[in-house]
Amino acid sequence: MPSKNNTPPKKSWQARIGAAQDALAVQFVESLSFDHRLAKHDILGSIAHATMLHSVGLLTATDLSEIKRGLNSILADIQTKKFHFDISQEDIHMAIEAALIKLVGEPGRKLHTARSRNDQVALDIRLWCREAISLLTNKISDLQRTFIKMATEQGHHPMPSFTHLQRAQPIVAGHEMLAWCEMLQRDKDRLADCSKRVNISPLGAGAVGGSTLPIDRAKSAAFLNMPEITHNSLDSISDRDFLCELAFDLSMIAMHLSRWAEQWILYVTTEFGFMRIADAFTTGSSMMPQKRNPDMLELIRGKTGGVYGQLLALLTMMKAQPLAYNRDMQEDKRSIFFAYDTVDACLTMAAAIVLNTTLLPDRIADRLDEGFADATVMAEYLVRKGIPFRTAHHIVGSLVADCEKKSFAHLGDLDLTSMQEKSPLIDENIYRILGANKAIQNYKSHGAGGLPQLKTQLKRWHKLLTSTT
Ligand code: ARG
């Protein structure tokens, strides 16, 4: 309701509620302190809405141009930090609308036609998620490129692989670097899938039941580059599934980064000594002068819990909420912003660490052939001679036991006669295939950890990351 001097009342609903809100309530209910991050999306959504209202004859051309002028100038003020945020406006939607009315007068009072903050916030958070997904996807690609660079430059060196953290089969180092790329690729796929459910317009669902005015919801959606509109106004304003999905996708990314961080924390220990992180990405100790701690990796690992926490917060916030909009949902933004900011920072830091880490191939080589990692190679040699795998496994197992009895560190330390006692089919060619350096050249299966497969994988990654993000 317009006030006499044409200045808008403090809040759009003040005509109904009457008494000024308690200061404590003002503080408690506001979301402006965090949802100001939606300003850009809110303004874009409003311009789309106004454009649609004009196209169906609910706004004049002058109304529309005044609204656009006002909104663009508000956006400029927000971006240059000239905008005064007043938490008594509650949220970004009311703050912008009030500023618009102040700036352009009567046309501003028409913007909220056939719209409610309920569909407005549902739209804004979807637009925010859409942008977040695109930024995250690029960041993940950047991180993948650092692993690919490392695999291209340092990936040919042999190293052990592990299962149960015990030495398993020899591989090339690049194979491990590209394993992280595979996980990250699935993360991008998940985000792309989530974006299908994010990029749908709820605008025009109104407060809960839609509008009696002849609005064209498809038109505002098209303006926003949203290929679909929602089909049920109740669901449109109560749906936050896509936010839970995004929080899950962020949790998966965090989990993957924590696995990588843990692996490298082990690799930079004196015990492993597989790699060295540049000084600039380590920290010292206040007491122990020799320390170079991998704190950045530990923080990436440690921050994972906080991201998972937001997923749980969102799922719990949504649990048992009756249809349709409830103020509980205002909390969704805190959670998703926190989860996004955390993962975003971790992705940036991870890329910097990978770029500043060097493999220590000599250190790896020193103990590479300990642990009988070539035992499977020998068993497969026997299979090629016609011995059933289970029997071959048994023969090689007993040869490993012989080595241990004789304090030999490698299968290749056994002489041919003692090998032939276990199987007469073994000949002197066995010495040509034993040892990690030889094993990495002999892998045959697609996706294996050998040198030829590294070349194939790198080719695929170079193609994947130049053609798409
Ligand atoms: N700040 C609110 C939120 O983020 C906007 C929607 C408020 N709607 C309402 N009917 N009170 O959820």
Side-chain angles (χ1 to χ4, degrees):
M1 183 197 271
S3 57
K4 273 197 195 113
N5 62 5
N6 212 20
T7 50
K10 195 111 181 90
K11 273 191 186 155
S12 51
W13 37 252
Q14 210 153 7
R16 165 70 181 86
I17 301 285
Q21 219 167 13
D22 183 89
L24 200 59
V26 171
Q27 282 282 346
F28 195 75
V29 83
E30 71 88 24
S31 55
L32 193 53
S33 54
F34 52 94
D35 70 11
H36 61 84
R37 283 178 72 158
L38 297 176
K40 190 172 73 175
H41 313 91
D42 193 72
I43 287 174
L44 178 66
S46 288
I47 292 176
H49 186 63
T51 306
M52 179 280 290
L53 289 177
H54 168 59
S55 78
V56 298
L58 288 165
L59 286 183
T60 65
T62 319
D63 289 338
L64 175 61
S65 74
E66 278 301 279
I67 288 173
K68 284 209 261 190
R69 180 182 68 80
L71 289 173
N72 284 324
S73 124
I74 292 167
L75 182 61
D77 281 355
I78 292 175
Q79 283 169 343
T80 53
K81 304 213 181 328
K82 281 191 215 133
F83 190 86
H84 174 66
F85 288 106
D86 172 4
I87 62 152
S88 72
Q89 293 291 356
E90 267 193 42
D91 57 29
I92 189 66
H93 323 292
M94 301 233 275
I96 291 175
E97 193 189 343
L100 179 70
I101 293 171
K102 207 164 160 202
L103 210 61
V104 305
E106 210 57 15
R109 309 183 68 82
K110 299 184 186 170
L111 175 62
H112 218 50
T113 308
R115 186 176 76 167
S116 149
R117 274 190 295 161
N118 296 351
D119 57 341
Q120 192 176 355
V121 73
L123 173 72
D124 291 2
I125 196 71
R126 281 172 184 270
L127 293 174
W128 182 89
C129 287
R130 184 173 76 175
E131 187 182 10
I133 287 174
S134 147
L135 295 171
L136 277 170
T137 305
N138 289 337
K139 275 253 168 105
I140 297 175
S141 295
D142 289 345
L143 177 57
Q144 285 177 306
R145 285 191 188 94
T146 64
F147 280 121
I148 291 164
K149 183 172 186 286
M150 191 174 187
T152 308
E153 290 166 3
Q154 310 175 54
H156 56 283
H157 296 293
M159 67 179 273
S161 67
F162 303 87
T163 62
H164 313 269
L165 217 52
Q166 303 293 311
R167 287 195 170 202
Q169 291 177 284
I171 55 167
V172 286
H175 194 51
E176 190 177 297
M177 294 158 196
L178 296 181
W180 307 118
C181 280
E182 296 285 344
M183 287 187 201
L184 293 166
Q185 191 68 16
R186 288 195 294 278
D187 291 331
K188 290 199 296 190
D189 288 349
R190 247 185 303 275
L191 288 172
D193 190 60
C194 177
S195 133
K196 288 185 212 155
R197 283 170 294 284
V198 161
N199 206 14
I200 301 174
S201 173
L203 192 58
V208 64
S211 172
T212 58
L213 294 166
I215 56 170
D216 183 347
R217 294 188 50 214
K219 201 156 239 164
S220 47
F223 185 94
L224 293 166
N225 257 325
M226 290 179 134
E228 278 183 68
I229 58 172
T230 54
H231 298 293
N232 180 304
S233 64
L234 276 172
D235 179 56
S236 308
I237 57 162
S238 72
D239 173 24
R240 295 292 184 274
D241 295 0
F242 59 91
L243 271 185
C244 298
E245 281 187 48
L246 181 55
F248 173 76
D249 295 353
L250 289 164
S251 298
M252 287 289 276
I253 300 169
M255 182 268 279
H256 288 155
L257 293 180
S258 82
R259 293 187 70 175
W260 161 73
E262 169 70 5
Q263 193 92 27
W264 281 27
I265 287 167
L266 289 172
Y267 286 171
V268 298
T269 57
T270 308
E271 284 68 20
F272 273 85
F274 281 11
M275 50 179 58
R276 186 179 172 90
I277 302 173
D279 286 352
F281 292 93
T282 62
T283 45
S285 153
S286 58
M287 184 172 169
M288 299 169 283
Q290 85 286 8
K291 285 305 267 303
R292 284 175 88 258
N293 292 328
D295 292 35
M296 312 305 145
L297 290 172
E298 291 166 82
L299 280 168
I300 289 174
R301 188 178 58 183
K303 284 173 190 286
T304 309
V307 179
Y308 291 0
Q310 304 313 316
L311 170 62
L312 204 67
L314 282 168
L315 289 170
T316 313
M317 181 201 76
M318 291 310 294
K319 175 187 171 291
Q321 256 198 57
L323 288 172
Y325 178 82
N326 303 280
R327 201 57 177 258
D328 314 39
M329 284 194 232
Q330 179 162 289
E331 292 295 308
D332 61 1
K333 285 164 282 297
R334 288 185 204 275
S335 291
I336 204 69
F337 291 163
F338 182 90
Y340 169 80
D341 290 344
T342 307
V343 169
D344 178 63
C346 290
L347 284 167
T348 310
M349 181 48 67
I353 293 173
V354 179
L355 282 179
N356 288 281
T357 297
T358 39
L359 215 61
L360 301 175
D362 296 341
R363 285 287 308 274
I364 298 174
D366 281 349
R367 301 187 56 194
L368 183 61
D369 281 317
E370 287 179 26
F372 305 100
D374 52 2
T376 310
V377 169
M378 186 167 189
E380 289 183 347
Y381 163 90
L382 293 173
V383 167
R384 279 198 296 275
K385 299 267 177 198
I387 298 178
F389 180 77
R390 197 43 69 216
T391 313
H393 183 281
H394 183 83
I395 293 169
V396 180
S398 72
L399 285 170
V400 169
D402 286 351
C403 282
E404 282 182 341
K405 260 181 248 145
K406 294 177 182 165
S407 300
F408 289 167
H410 320 114
L411 281 164
D413 294 343
L414 291 167
D415 60 39
L416 192 56
T417 332
S418 43
M419 289 193 199
Q420 285 171 336
E421 274 167 25
K422 301 278 164 54
S423 168
L425 294 174
I426 301 175
D427 61 30
E428 63 283 351
N429 286 328
I430 189 66
Y431 296 105
R432 289 210 211 135
I433 61 154
L434 288 178
N437 276 304
K438 293 178 189 129
I440 58 164
Q441 296 178 34
N442 283 324
Y443 281 111
K444 299 283 183 292
S445 58
H446 179 81
L451 263 180
Q453 290 80 7
L454 176 64
K455 283 198 190 111
T456 313
Q457 289 187 69
L458 281 174
K459 222 186 258 171
R460 175 173 164 265
W461 280 115
H462 282 300
K463 217 165 124 193
L464 262 175
L465 280 166
T466 46
S467 59
T468 57
T469 51

